[in-house]
Amino acid sequence: MTLYFFLWLHHKVNCLILYTKMKFTLIFGSLIGLAAFCFVSCDEAAKQLELQLLTSNIELLEAALRKECNHTENNGLIGRRRRALIREKRLSIDGRISVASHQLIILKKEYMNCKNYKGTVLTGSKLLGLFAPRNIKHYFWPALNEGKDSGVIKQVVFKKLFSNTAVKVEVTTNMRVVGQRTCCHWFFTFDNQECKPQTIESARYMSSTNDFHISYSFHGVCPALNRGNLVMALNVGKCSSGNALGDCYTGWYSTTHLTVEEIELS
């Protein structure tokens, strides 16, 4: 009787182990399938987005070629047949992306030939992103520790590529003002001139004699700047409020960051 009981128990334990293994295998297989489905779906969505972007750029260039270069479908534009290939659902998404990418290259060449584009000047600000990489520079100064109350704190040279764009500036640093009812004014200049009318600046007023070193960040956009090398400077000085100039300090034992970017304004 005891032997029969142990054999029965052994059989039940083996069945339970086998059932657990099968259940784990099914769950694990389902998870793998779900992950593969999600990966494929995400990849497909990314490709669809890429195709939409290519199609939008093609339409933008075609409109520019019609308007500025008097091109037609028989003279520079991709034509109905090739446009139909890009939209052909029976063609794989990779194939449609390949066709669209090739046609975009052709249109770019046509537009550059029409406008005599040499890589420095481009008529049509809306097309800037199709021909030029993002023009952005980052500067930094570790442990600046500048106790100057008036004058230039730091100066850089930024090369602006186009005449019909703007310059965006953002600085993060540590600012301090000491002196009862005093003020310090930090501001940017471009070729020794402030941006008008939208000055890029920050002012800090102190009503007491406390000595607080606090991290600050300010930014702005200056549109009316010529193409070429711009001498940009972070300055400090007296506030326009009429308050006395305080004891100013910039970048107290911390890194000062400056980011400059050439952008388009809609």
Side-chain angles (χ1 to χ4, degrees), residues 30-233:
S30 299
L31 289 174
I32 292 177
L34 180 62
F37 174 76
C38 292
F39 178 79
V40 172
S41 299
C42 292
D43 185 57
E44 183 74 14
K47 289 180 179 180
Q48 289 288 351
L49 188 62
E50 181 182 359
L51 183 62
Q52 289 177 13
L53 181 61
L54 286 168
T55 305
S56 297
N57 289 337
I58 286 173
E59 291 173 354
L60 188 64
L61 272 171
E62 283 190 315
L65 282 166
R66 289 192 186 95
K67 183 177 180 180
E68 301 176 31
C69 307
N70 296 321
H71 277 38
T72 64
E73 290 193 354
N74 295 323
N75 180 25
L77 300 187
I78 65 173
R80 295 179 182 177
R81 184 173 175 273
R82 290 174 181 172
R83 190 182 295 109
L85 276 176
I86 297 172
R87 297 172 180 171
E88 177 57 65
K89 300 295 184 181
R90 289 174 294 180
L91 192 65
S92 69
I93 184 69
D94 292 321
R96 291 156 65 193
I97 288 175
S98 177
V99 172
S101 300
H102 180 66
Q103 298 309 318
L104 186 61
I105 292 172
I106 293 175
L107 290 174
K108 282 183 179 181
K109 289 180 180 179
E110 287 290 335
Y111 189 81
M112 287 189 287
N113 290 335
C114 167
K115 307 300 290 186
N116 294 318
Y117 172 58
K118 303 299 181 183
T120 54
V121 181
L122 179 62
T123 302
S125 178
K126 290 183 178 180
L127 299 173
L128 171 63
L130 295 178
F131 294 89
R134 192 175 180 186
N135 186 18
I136 182 170
K137 298 291 182 182
H138 177 249
Y139 311 89
F140 65 96
W141 300 274
L144 183 58
N145 293 321
E146 178 58 71
K148 187 182 295 183
D149 297 333
S150 181
V152 175
I153 300 295
K154 280 297 179 182
Q155 182 174 284
V156 299
V157 177
F158 178 76
K159 186 173 183 180
K160 189 170 181 286
L161 301 178
F162 301 92
S163 59
N164 52 359
T165 55
V167 172
K168 179 182 177 182
V169 179
E170 182 172 3
V171 64
T172 301
T173 187
N174 194 288
M175 299 177 181
R176 183 212 67 178
V177 182
V178 172
Q180 191 170 12
R181 296 180 180 177
T182 60
C183 182
C184 290
H185 176 224
W186 285 267
F187 60 98
F188 277 97
T189 56
F190 303 85
D191 292 336
N192 298 318
Q193 299 291 328
E194 289 190 68
C195 183
K196 298 295 182 181
Q198 56 266 51
T199 305
I200 303 174
E201 60 185 341
S202 178
R204 188 175 175 206
Y205 171 79
M206 179 60 68
S207 60
S208 65
T209 57
N210 292 324
D211 186 5
F212 296 134
H213 291 266
I214 302 175
S215 179
Y216 276 90
S217 177
F218 67 95
H219 65 274
V221 174
C222 190
L225 297 169
N226 294 326
R227 180 171 60 90
N229 289 330
L230 289 173
V231 179
M232 300 176 51

